[in-house]
């Protein structure tokens, strides 16, 4: 039995299909869903209204398009403070930054670890920002949750089920990135792992799929936004930085996402991209980021939303 707001979901094992019809006729039963569905709690069918996820002063899934900004990785106190000040000035309410970085090569910068978490908390507080940062292993979940306002589960971890469960147990909002090869139903089934543990605060993030053309790092699946909005009541945001991998393409991807109905964006920002320890090629400078926010705001207004 699972309770979601005003509804209670009762799982029935076995039983013939004709029994479902009998249950559906009961006055206390709203709907009978097939038990082989990979996700139920995440489905729009179960809950018509949009779920709103609050993170500090930000609310994902409401009328505002929430923009998250910050560096790929926390590198130093000065680097983070410069970026945090710039994103706060742009009106952003959530600071991103990796302390534990999933890098393709074990020789690449792996993040500052707990020191990175300390810096995120300290500097975010200076500018009244909330913090979202990645958790890579189940045993890190409590530690990351003790510093962060929202836990990010990266693309590479989308089907790390023990990690999804550990993140759910912290009761912090979770930013779940779509895997670079995830079908949308698989993605929603991953979200279901968090919801079924009683944590309803999940924000989904499309971040581009692995494809064959090398002109962009990944292929942004813009249509994932309206499709997901139909399939689920959970907020859906887009990461134009990892989707494109190139700073000169980030704004175009961000604008397409807002026009397609995304509930937010997560954008990488670095004051000196050429010196960045990770993902410098896709980082926007502060001024470019502020310009992106201004235009995104005009696009949001055109579809009855705001930034
Ligand atoms: C990130 O946001 O820093 C990141 C590693 O993203 P993804 O998991 O989408 O590759
Ligand atoms: Mn990155």
């Amino acid at each position: 039995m699972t309770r979601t707001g005003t509804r209670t979901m009762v799982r029935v094992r076995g039983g013939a299909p004709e029994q479902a019809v009998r249950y559906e006729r009961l006055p206390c039963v709203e709907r009978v869903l097939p038990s082989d569905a990979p996700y139920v709690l995440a489905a729009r069918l179960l809950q018509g209204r949009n779920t709103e996820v609050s993170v500090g002063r930000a609310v994902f899934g409401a009328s505002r398009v929430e923009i998250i900004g910050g560096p790929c990785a926390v590198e130093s106190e000065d680097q983070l403070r410069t970026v945090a000040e710039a994103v706060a000035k742009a009106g952003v309410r959530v600071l991103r930054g990796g302390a534990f970085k999933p890098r393709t090569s074990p020789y690449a910068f792996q993040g500052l670890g707990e020191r990175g978490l300390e810096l995120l908390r300290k500097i975010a507080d200076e500018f009244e920002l909330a913090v979202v940062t990645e958790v890579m292993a189940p045993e890190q979940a409590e530690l990351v949750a003790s510093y962060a306002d929202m836990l990010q589960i990266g693309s590479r971890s989308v089907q790390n089920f023990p990690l999804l469960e550990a993140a759910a147990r912290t009761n912090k909002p979770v930013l779940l990135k779509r895997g670079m090869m995830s079908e949308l139903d698989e993605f929603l089934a991953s979200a279901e792992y968090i919801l079924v543990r009683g944590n309803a605060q999940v924000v989904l993030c499309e971040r581009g799929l692995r494809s064959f053309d090398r002109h962009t790092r990944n292929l942004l699946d813009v249509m994932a936004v309206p499709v997901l909005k139909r399939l689920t009541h959970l907020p859906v945001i887009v990461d134009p930085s990892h989707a494109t991998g190139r700073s000169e393409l980030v704004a175009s991807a961000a604008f397409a996402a807002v026009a397609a109905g995304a509930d937010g964006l997560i954008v990488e920002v670095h004051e000196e991209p050429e010196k960045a320890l990770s993902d410098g090629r896709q980082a926007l400078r502060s001024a470019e980021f502020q310009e992106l926010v201004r235009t995104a705001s005009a696009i949001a207004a055109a579809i009855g939303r705001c930034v």
Side-chain angles (χ1 to χ4, degrees):
M1 205 161 79
T2 314
R3 287 184 208 284
T4 61
T6 55
R7 289 184 171 94
T8 301
M9 186 172 77
V10 180
R11 235 168 298 188
V12 183
R13 281 187 192 278
E18 44 294 1
Q19 267 177 322
V21 181
R22 277 187 22 227
Y23 288 135
E24 199 133 55
R25 287 207 190 108
L26 295 173
C28 55
V29 172
E30 183 182 331
R31 205 170 277 144
V32 177
L33 299 163
S35 63
D36 58 354
Y39 57 91
V40 174
L41 300 174
R44 176 71 83 183
L45 202 61
L46 188 78
Q47 180 189 304
R49 69 174 165 78
N50 289 334
T51 286
E52 295 184 3
V53 177
S54 294
V55 182
R57 292 178 293 128
V59 184
F60 293 87
S63 67
R64 202 192 291 132
V65 176
E66 291 289 354
I67 303 183
I68 302 170
C72 176
V74 179
E75 298 170 5
S76 70
E77 183 160 352
D78 285 350
Q79 169 247 12
L80 188 61
R81 185 173 287 109
T82 308
V83 172
E85 186 172 11
V87 300
K89 228 182 236 165
V92 155
R93 296 169 191 80
V94 186
L95 177 68
R96 65 148 290 147
F100 296 99
K101 293 302 302 175
R103 304 304 301 279
T104 302
S105 165
Y107 307 118
F109 176 60
Q110 306 284 307
L112 297 181
E114 188 167 0
R115 172 78 187 131
L117 297 175
E118 284 166 9
L119 289 174
L120 278 165
R121 186 71 272 156
K122 175 177 168 196
I123 291 170
D125 287 346
E126 286 176 20
F127 298 98
E128 279 184 77
L129 297 166
V131 168
V132 58
T133 192
E134 180 160 352
V135 54
M136 285 172 55
E139 58 276 16
Q140 279 169 359
E142 280 303 324
L143 175 74
V144 176
S146 68
Y147 291 95
D149 302 293
M150 181 182 222
L151 305 190
Q152 178 174 325
I153 307 249
S155 193
R156 291 153 191 82
S157 302
V158 67
Q159 286 191 318
N160 181 339
F161 304 117
L163 178 60
L164 297 174
E165 288 171 351
R169 277 195 300 270
T170 65
N171 281 321
K172 292 272 177 170
V174 177
L175 177 62
L176 181 62
K177 294 265 195 118
R178 181 181 181 186
M180 57 190 88
M181 302 195 310
S182 304
E183 291 183 14
L184 293 177
D185 285 344
E186 292 169 332
F187 186 25
L188 289 169
S190 290
E192 188 83 5
Y193 268 87
I194 302 166
L195 301 178
V196 81
R197 299 281 151 188
N199 184 341
Q201 306 168 84
V202 178
V203 175
L204 303 171
C205 180
E206 157 62 30
R207 47 78 74 207
L209 304 173
R210 178 57 66 87
S211 184
F212 55 86
D213 194 84
R214 297 286 97 216
H215 284 281
T216 55
R217 181 175 179 182
N218 290 291
L219 185 66
L220 175 61
D221 182 5
V222 186
M223 280 305 106
V225 176
V227 173
L228 283 169
K229 295 295 291 179
R230 282 168 174 269
L231 293 174
T232 180
H233 49 84
L234 297 172
V236 180
I237 73 166
V238 167
D239 175 343
S241 305
H242 292 88
T244 59
R246 289 164 172 255
S247 57
E248 66 276 21
L249 301 177
V250 169
S252 301
F255 302 155
V258 175
D263 295 305
L265 299 169
I266 177 165
V267 181
E268 289 188 346
V269 185
H270 199 290
E271 220 24 77
E272 295 178 288
E274 56 293 337
K275 293 196 186 146
L277 298 180
S278 65
D279 285 351
R281 185 67 187 83
Q282 67 198 31
L284 297 187
R285 289 192 163 79
S286 300
E288 294 167 324
F289 176 73
Q290 285 160 355
E291 181 64 31
L292 178 150
V293 173
R294 268 194 293 278
T295 309
S297 167
I299 295 170
I303 55 166
R305 302 185 76 165
C306 58
V307 166

